[in-house]
Amino acid sequence: MTLGFLGTGAITEAIVTGLSMPGGPAQPIRLSPRNPSIAAGLAARFENVTVCASNQAVLDTCDTIILAVRPQITPKVLSELHFAPTHTVISLVAGFSAVRIAGLVAPSAAISRAIPLPSVAQRRSPIAVYPPQSVAASLFAPLGQVFGIETEAHLNALSTATSTMAAYFGFMGQISSWVAAKGIPEQQARQYIAQLFAGLAGTGLEESGQSPADLAAAHSTPGGLNEQLLRHLTDHGVFQTLTDALDAVHRRASGMQPLPATSPKSE
Ligand SMILES: NC(=O)c1ccc[n+]([C@@H]2O[C@H](COP(=O)([O-])OP(=O)(O)OC[C@H]3O[C@@H](n4cnc5c(N)ncnc54)[C@H](OP(=O)(O)O)[C@@H]3O)[C@@H](O)[C@H]2O)c1
């Protein structure tokens, strides 16, 4: 397999790093020229990576193509290219159904979708792929845990869930800053909170038979500090606000709502 990327931004950098680091498959990879500094950096770091002169040159030299441009420009970028029936296409573009992508990359017929996350660079990402038995599943297997997803509706729900990454760091930052304001060195506060959450994430994985509500109860002494904070947040609508925000993101992630003209760096 020769793997080509259309769009060399944040997620491409993470995937290429995960695939090319020692111990990875390190298959031949060809990058589209934008972003030039990310593309040049990856080609300098990894022997298996080269930068093509154009997007079309990626198609002409690769059999498997990963679409990794932003949703807003995807139709225009693809409309300028000539795909072949032999191309296998894996789309990372949020909010674009497989049918919509198929219309943009015809005559290629082998289309799948995937949601790799930035932690593919460290090979510890959950990676949702649709359909489950697609080439995307084996391609991403070295980069974390692949979740084969049976329907696009389910994939879009998981895509929505990934929108919580930045908010997670917002939550962590708010707590760290609050603690640091009490006089603890900022770095120590940050390290402590990160370790606290790492431990909880480990518990969530190990105790997968227990519901989140059970785990919350197990981490709350009756009348204690955890119970107080959880009740305060619940009573003030924080979790309802989270649900409302997920509903709003879901309308975009499932293509029900048009995308704004500009978008944040990560989808
Ligand atoms: N980031 C994530 O965690 C993540 C996860 C899953 C899926 N995705 C999806 O992956 C896609 C890319 O996301 P991203 O976060 O990597 O965005 P990004 O960092 O903005 O990367 C997109 C890249 O596309 C390049 N580009 C712009 N115009 C181009 C053109 N005409 N031809 C080829 N490349 C062009 C940009 O180059 P310039 O910098 O020169 O403009 C930029 O480097 C999105 O559709 C997103 O929904 C992202």
Side-chain angles (χ1 to χ4, degrees), residues 26-238:
Q27 68 264 66
I29 291 175
R30 307 214 197 290
L31 303 175
S32 57
R34 279 181 69 176
N35 174 283
S37 80
I38 297 175
L42 288 168
R45 276 175 74 195
F46 303 117
E47 275 183 6
N48 56 313
V49 177
T50 52
V51 184
C52 290
S54 67
N55 289 346
Q56 187 61 48
V58 174
L59 297 191
D60 294 345
T61 54
C62 298
D63 47 74
T64 304
I65 307 295
I66 296 194
L67 305 181
V69 288
R70 290 191 191 185
Q72 289 81 355
I73 63 167
T74 296
K76 180 171 185 305
V77 170
L78 297 182
S79 71
E80 293 164 352
L81 299 173
H82 300 287
F83 282 81
T86 48
H87 280 130
T88 295
V89 177
I90 302 170
S91 173
L92 312 186
V93 181
F96 278 53
S97 68
V99 166
R100 188 171 177 196
I101 291 294
L104 295 166
V105 302
S108 305
I111 319 287
S112 56
R113 295 177 60 193
I115 313 174
L117 301 176
S119 52
V120 286
Q122 294 85 33
R123 300 185 184 141
R124 55 172 186 234
S125 170
I127 304 127
V129 302
Y130 167 84
Q133 308 304 336
S134 59
V135 169
S138 51
L139 175 73
F140 286 113
L143 303 186
Q145 184 177 354
V146 170
F147 292 76
I149 306 301
E150 299 286 348
T151 73
E152 280 196 286
H154 291 174
L155 190 83
N156 293 335
L158 292 177
S159 175
T160 302
T162 69
S163 71
T164 57
M165 290 188 296
Y168 166 83
F169 286 113
F171 192 65
M172 175 192 262
Q174 189 76 12
I175 300 168
S176 304
S177 299
W178 186 91
V179 170
K182 299 296 172 206
I184 296 179
E186 182 100 34
Q187 193 51 32
Q188 191 179 26
R190 229 206 86 171
Q191 194 64 31
Y192 183 91
I193 304 303
Q195 196 61 52
L196 171 73
F197 285 155
L200 293 173
T203 302
L205 284 170
E206 286 154 21
E207 304 294 339
S208 57
Q210 289 197 56
S211 71
D214 288 342
L215 290 173
H219 287 72
S220 307
T221 307
L225 307 182
N226 272 273
E227 188 190 73
Q228 180 181 344
L229 191 98
L230 179 60
R231 190 179 342 104
H232 191 103
L233 294 182
T234 305
D235 290 349
H236 286 76
V238 171

